[in-house]
Amino acid sequence: MDRPKKRDVLRAVNSMSSLCENGGKKEGIRAVNSVCSISELTDEDLLSRLLDRPRLKLERKKSYEEMSLSLYDSAHSLDGRSGWDTPVFSMKDSSDLNPMVTEAWEALCRSQVYFREKPVGTIAAYDHASEDVLNYDQVFVRDFVPSALAFLMKGEPDIVKNFLLKTLHIQGQDKMIDKFKLGDGAMPASFKVLHNPIKKTDSIIADFGESAIGRVAPVDSGFWWIILLRAYTKSTGDHSLAERPECQKGMRLILSLCLSEGFDTFPTLLCADGCSMVDRRMGIYGYPIEIQALFFMALRSALSMLKHDSEGKEFMEKIVKRLHALSFHMRSYFWLDFQQLNDIYRYKTEEYSHTAVNKFNVIPDSIPDWIFDFMPLRGGYFVGNVSPARMDFRWFALGNCIAILSSLATPEQSMAIMDLIEARWEELVGEMPLKICYPAMESHEWRIVTGCDPKNTRWSYHNGGSWPVLLWLLTAASIKTGRPQIARRAIELAEARLLKDGWPEYYDGKSGRFIGKQARKFQTWSIAGYLVAKMMMDDPTHVGMISMEEEKHMKPPLRRSSSWT
């Protein structure tokens, strides 16, 4: 496609800016009316190297590979400090604005939802062709994250700030489901703005899981809220929002739900099916990788924003202890590579005492046949779940990408995950990035595990479907590991189909060839995920608002094989 002329680009930018300023009111969602520094902490003994990164200066003329590799090398050569620092970015700075990007921005602006004339989020989907709205006209916490990152990178943080404050206000509401009260720290899965044209008032209805399929409260909403608060702070340099008493209290309430001591002997977080992006029954009950990675990232994010007052210090001490235990547990028992697979294959069972090697009593006969051909000699990943007598060997994209970005994965493990993606490109990426999980469940296994869920049939939806929103996570992980060519290849695949197909929610089939059978068009996070990926490639320092570097003093000794060496 020919590059648009400069005057056409300027005209498109002006048109787009005007549309965003008007909130997309000309067409699409009606405008309804909102109710409702922390300085990066340095702890003398343990946390002094976590934050306060110096800014890196990149040459615009360098290739993506040169910029990313230079950035990655610099981030590890500054006396142990991370070099990530994210400047405010405007679309007017981009030298690669194309018609697809312009249309994506227009669609994203149309999706904005207003409360008392203030933008407070974006709806899940704006499918003109579908009369069955369901809950796609609501603002979902997890869905808004890529939209928020796009607006932050564009230099428009107000909608993100409004969203953070609005969801914080909703958190304070009573949360009852069938006469049972949820924990005070629970964040909503979504909320809907209702406009009364007669009384000219706005109101909000929130869903904490009481209306969700399966009636499961979202565990990931609180984690995404903390992660997004850090991204806002990193992007804008505005520490005052995180320092507000209500934000400090909101973080502590979320953490209190997760850090409470109980009967569990593992540092991982026990969860039910349907508590995350995989929000239907898919056999992820127990300790799903997605929740553990988000938990780890939220803990590190909160650690950088909590105040050093009496309440804050108490939580910081708990966080540091939990991070040590969680990183050791995940890196040791969830990690799988060729050598570790061979070790599990030779496990003895019924072992007792502290000398046991097979600590979870995983029966070797439970290893699925597909994993032996899937696992390359070089590469590895965090398996989907580990619990007593159970190891879910499925690959889950979101959990592994977050593990890289949060540095739950060591630098060596991060590289091994990218090695696996390259080695198994046809299986994990195919014709549309990115498989939410691999492989799909079929036949009897599908019936038992999903309860015969007709939406999660093989290679569809959560059961091996391809989700364009995951493109931004793959891009961020690729840039952080110095492998931007992986992201570029995936973006090119997405650009060949996404706009033409109307920005679907997901794709079906082993290679992601077909638009999902029940996929909504103009899915907002598919649009935002593409924009975030493009802007990260244009300016890799944007990864800094979502990425964290490993702290050497928090690195436990590994007692598992490292096939990458």
Side-chain angles (χ1 to χ4, degrees), residues 35-313:
V35 293
C36 196
S37 163
I38 193 167
S39 50
E40 304 276 43
L41 297 176
T42 56
D43 191 342
E44 288 87 11
D45 49 321
L46 190 59
L47 308 174
S48 62
R49 297 158 67 189
L50 196 63
L51 301 156
D52 196 21
R53 275 84 172 170
R55 184 181 299 275
L56 290 182
K57 295 181 179 180
L58 298 179
E59 293 293 335
R60 279 282 180 179
K61 295 181 180 179
K62 291 183 179 179
S63 66
Y64 291 143
E65 288 87 348
E66 290 173 329
M67 287 193 293
S68 178
L69 289 172
S70 172
L71 183 62
Y72 184 79
D73 292 340
S74 299
H76 290 78
S77 62
L78 298 171
D79 190 27
R81 288 174 174 263
S82 166
W84 297 114
D85 196 2
T86 306
V88 174
F89 176 72
S90 170
M91 279 300 295
K92 295 179 181 179
D93 296 333
S94 176
S95 59
D96 192 34
L97 192 66
N98 59 42
M100 184 170 174
V101 170
T102 302
E103 292 200 32
W105 272 113
E106 291 175 350
L108 184 60
C109 289
R110 284 196 300 269
S111 73
Q112 290 183 97
V113 173
Y114 286 74
F115 185 87
R116 296 179 184 172
E117 300 184 352
K118 292 183 179 180
V120 293
T122 53
I123 60 169
Y126 187 56
D127 192 342
H128 306 265
S130 177
E131 296 180 358
D132 190 11
V133 176
L134 294 176
N135 58 356
Y136 284 87
D137 61 344
Q138 298 185 24
V139 179
F140 280 81
V141 173
R142 76 174 65 96
D143 291 42
F144 180 67
V145 171
S147 295
L149 295 178
F151 285 118
L152 288 175
M153 293 177 187
K154 188 173 180 284
E156 297 182 1
D158 287 348
I159 185 174
V160 182
K161 183 177 182 179
N162 295 337
F163 169 85
L164 289 168
L165 291 174
K166 178 52 58 183
T167 48
L168 190 64
H169 176 78
I170 295 172
Q171 182 197 41
Q173 299 177 359
D174 288 335
K175 298 172 277 290
M176 301 288 294
I177 298 181
D178 289 341
K179 300 184 179 181
F180 182 75
K181 187 176 183 299
L182 273 68
D184 291 335
M187 280 288 185
S190 63
F191 64 86
K192 182 174 182 178
V193 175
L194 298 178
H195 177 65
N196 187 324
I198 299 176
K199 296 182 178 180
K200 296 183 179 180
T201 58
D202 294 335
S203 59
I204 282 183
I205 297 179
D207 176 18
F208 290 92
E210 69 271 26
S211 300
I213 293 177
R215 301 304 189 263
V216 178
V219 177
D220 63 337
S221 288
F223 298 152
W224 279 122
W225 186 89
I226 294 176
I227 292 167
L228 186 56
L229 179 61
R230 175 185 176 270
Y232 172 88
T233 303
K234 292 283 289 183
S235 175
T236 63
D238 176 15
H239 306 295
S240 62
L241 178 62
E243 287 179 333
R244 289 191 183 188
E246 60 267 35
C247 286
Q248 292 287 309
K249 180 182 178 181
M251 283 190 285
R252 292 196 300 268
L253 287 175
I254 294 170
L255 294 172
S256 66
L257 288 178
C258 311
L259 297 176
S260 59
E261 297 172 344
F263 289 98
D264 209 327
T265 58
F266 312 136
T268 41
L269 206 58
L270 184 62
C271 300
D273 252 328
C275 65
S276 60
M277 179 179 175
V278 181
D279 60 2
R280 300 166 79 98
R281 181 177 167 188
M282 272 288 292
I284 66 167
Y285 59 88
Y287 307 91
I289 178 60
E290 176 177 335
I291 291 297
Q292 312 315 318
L294 287 172
F295 181 33
F296 184 87
M297 193 173 201
L299 288 178
R300 291 197 63 187
S301 297
L303 196 60
S304 71
M305 295 185 293
L306 285 170
K307 286 185 176 181
H308 282 277
D309 53 22
S310 57
E311 292 179 300
K313 285 185 177 180

Side-chain angles (χ1 to χ4, degrees), residues 7 88 365 425:
R7 64 174 181 273
V88 174
D365 286 346
W425 185 267

